[in-house]
Amino acid sequence: MKLEIRNLSVEIGELTLLKDINLTVSEGEVVGVVGPNGAGKSTLLKAIMGLINVSSGEIMYNDKKINGLPTYERVELGLALVPEGRHIFPNLTVRENLLLGAYVIRKDKKKVEERIEFVLDLFPWMRERLNQLGGNLSGGQQQMLAIARALMSNPKLLLLDEPSAGLAPIIVSDVYKVISTLKNEVGISMLLVDQNVKKTLEVSDRAYVLERGRLVLEGRPEELYKEDIVRAYMGVKV
Ligand SMILES: Nc1ncnc2c1ncn2[C@@H]1O[C@H](COP(=O)(O)OP(=O)(O)O)[C@@H](O)[C@H]1O
Ligand SMILES: [Mg+2]
């Protein structure tokens, strides 16, 4: 797996949402993107998934240009998004929510059942709740379900948008434990966007700082910790 974004810009009318973005994710890497609200983090993930049109630049996945491909083809190639706000379906059961994530493999029933077993191994509590409605889960469980749903298509690169938003600190730790497991035991590559800068940097191999649609810094977490701008986002007095 290799993602390489070159000179990517996204403009909507007069608005420039992303400008000249250059970013890579290599095999097995967890790459963080941090930055304030409105910086363009979600726009970046949407552009990679094909949920928003890009104005210029290239999104290369395994050396193939994927701009212009419909989202489901990107999912078939190995991309999956855990969207901001989770977007699980409250009136569908947990199992039905999972099956939605299995859309691109739906014809291979054996594979679908294998993937369900895979996510149930990762989230054992879910087994007892497969027939419960998604809306009856707690916020943290809904976040886990959103992650599980994205894992159903067996992605090679998982894009995570604000996985800790709105969750109590103890639940945030649980979510990051799952992200660590995916990194260390499953070896899945990830591009992670989160306003929880501390958690993002802890789990990331490398990170970028995005401000007003532009990447302004890139480095290893231990280097970024020294940067005033990053410390400011972390609430550390600088
Ligand atoms: N479809 C859209 N049309 C116009 N402006 C948008 C659209 N989507 C996002 N924006 C604007 O683009 C900027 C970046 O948004 P977003 O990517 O959601 O930021 P972040 O995820 O970093 O908070 C914000 O100013 C937002 O209001
Ligand atoms: Mg966002």
Side-chain angles (χ1 to χ4, degrees), residues 16-218:
T16 299
L17 272 53
L18 294 175
K19 183 74 180 169
D20 277 330
I21 301 292
N22 287 286
L23 172 149
T24 57
V25 183
S26 303
E27 176 65 37
E29 237 189 347
V30 175
V31 174
V33 176
V34 298
N37 219 342
K41 302 182 298 296
S42 296
T43 302
L44 174 63
L45 299 190
K46 284 181 197 162
I48 296 168
M49 286 312 289
L51 296 167
I52 190 170
N53 287 333
V54 309
S55 311
S56 57
E58 292 168 335
I59 303 170
M60 308 292 295
Y61 180 75
N62 293 341
D63 298 318
K64 179 183 165 189
K65 188 173 167 181
I66 61 166
N67 324 24
L69 285 188
T71 299
Y72 75 89
E73 284 186 26
R74 300 186 202 208
V75 175
E76 281 173 354
L77 288 174
L79 297 172
L81 172 68
V82 182
E84 185 172 14
R86 337 206 205 288
H87 294 281
I88 63 129
F89 292 84
N91 297 322
L92 297 182
T93 65
V94 168
R95 189 180 165 85
E96 287 164 341
N97 270 280
L98 291 175
L99 291 177
L100 287 173
Y103 184 78
V104 301
I105 56 163
R106 69 193 181 283
K107 289 185 182 129
D108 189 342
K109 299 278 183 270
K110 187 162 165 271
K111 197 165 172 199
V112 172
E113 288 309 315
E114 276 171 19
R115 292 309 296 171
I116 288 182
E117 282 306 310
F118 172 82
V119 300
L120 293 179
D121 280 347
L122 203 57
F123 305 103
W125 61 268
M126 223 178 259
R127 199 178 286 277
E128 305 299 310
R129 290 175 205 240
L130 280 174
N131 297 318
Q132 279 191 18
L133 295 182
N136 289 341
L137 301 179
S138 69
Q141 288 171 334
Q142 292 189 10
Q143 183 63 58
M144 303 298 185
L145 178 56
I147 294 173
R149 180 182 56 191
L151 291 171
M152 286 297 294
S153 58
N154 197 13
K156 306 294 171 260
L157 175 63
L158 188 64
L159 310 177
L160 291 146
D161 196 350
E162 306 281 359
S164 76
L167 301 178
I170 185 162
I171 312 297
V172 171
S173 294
D174 288 346
V175 170
Y176 273 86
K177 268 184 217 145
V178 168
I179 294 172
S180 293
T181 302
L182 290 173
K183 174 184 175 171
N184 298 321
E185 288 168 36
V186 185
I188 190 165
S189 311
M190 285 178 266
L191 184 58
L192 168 66
V193 159
D194 206 329
Q195 287 201 33
N196 191 324
V197 176
K198 187 164 178 290
K199 287 287 185 193
T200 302
L201 293 184
E202 272 172 17
V203 78
S204 295
D205 298 304
R206 228 157 30 80
Y208 296 84
V209 178
L210 185 66
E211 277 203 325
R212 278 175 265 135
R214 289 168 172 80
L215 290 177
V216 294
L217 271 177
E218 188 245 322

